Amino acid sequence: MTFLAFQELVSKIGKIGLLGEKAHAEMSPLFRKENLKKVNWQNLTPRKAGVMVLFYPNKNQETNLVLILRKTYKGVHSAQVGFPGGKAELFDKDIKDTALRETYEEVGVLPQKVEIIRPLTEVYIPPSNFLMHPFLGYAKNPLNFIRQEEEVEAILEVKLQDFLATSSLITQKLSTSYAQNVEVPAFLLQNQIVWGATGMVLNEVKHLVKAAMLEL
């Protein structure tokens, strides 16, 4: 999809009702659903995180989405694909400010270059006890990313048309520090398995974009 065509969708994307948990459920691993039945996560006082689902034009004026591959480390999200973003700090004005600040820190995109389209449905992440607040945004011009070497292994630039393709949806068996040999719904993007909370948010975005395309 050309970026001009994507920009024509932006106002529609901002007005379409969010599918929320319905969209999330389509990409939610079975063990997540079982774990959430056992606990009322609101009582756990989760930490807040702000992340950015960021679209932008590539050098050919096609629409891209940026994701990051996290470094391998001693933590529950080691070597996983996610959005630019991170935990809220006391000096952040609000959770949107967190998402913009962390996007700058992790991939080098200045906050003033990002137009926020809308907030998306929040997702609770049991393994790390975070409540993730995603924001959908776009940059009007091509971006030169700067990788935060301490936390980001690689920056993944995904074409919107590849993300929207039916072939991007897969089922994959994997093991993590908190679940062994489990089958999960996922996206296959840039030869990376994108699942869990990131996959759930992406599925809501996919529904929004496709619904906006139908209204043209």
Side-chain angles (χ1 to χ4, degrees), residues 42-163:
Q42 286 100 337
N43 294 335
L44 299 176
T45 315
R47 296 171 292 173
K48 291 184 178 181
V51 303
M52 189 65 62
V53 185
L54 182 62
F55 289 96
Y56 61 97
N58 63 21
K59 62 182 180 180
N60 297 319
Q61 290 300 306
E62 300 166 314
T63 307
N64 276 16
L65 164 69
V66 63
L67 298 170
I68 61 171
L69 176 63
R70 299 206 172 275
K71 289 275 191 179
T72 299
Y73 66 102
K74 291 182 179 180
V76 295
H77 302 303
S78 172
Q80 292 183 3
V81 175
F83 303 109
K87 67 178 180 179
E89 302 289 357
L90 292 176
F91 51 76
D92 292 330
K93 291 184 295 185
D94 51 32
I95 198 64
K96 181 176 72 174
D97 189 51
T98 300
L100 289 166
R101 173 183 58 77
E102 284 279 347
T103 297
Y104 172 64
E105 290 178 5
E106 292 193 334
V107 298
V109 178
L110 291 167
Q112 56 265 36
K113 290 187 176 181
V114 179
E115 300 280 342
I116 300 293
I117 301 172
R118 68 184 302 169
L120 299 166
T121 305
E122 61 192 29
V123 181
Y124 176 64
I125 305 173
S128 53
N129 193 34
F130 265 103
L131 185 61
M132 184 173 78
H133 296 261
F135 291 86
L136 182 59
Y138 71 104
K140 293 181 178 179
N141 297 301
L143 298 172
N144 294 314
F145 296 110
I146 302 172
R147 177 174 64 90
Q148 185 183 38
E149 295 185 4
E150 295 83 3
E151 297 184 17
V152 179
E153 180 66 29
I155 293 173
L156 309 177
E157 301 189 58
V158 179
K159 288 185 179 180
L160 177 57
Q161 64 190 37
D162 294 338
F163 164 54

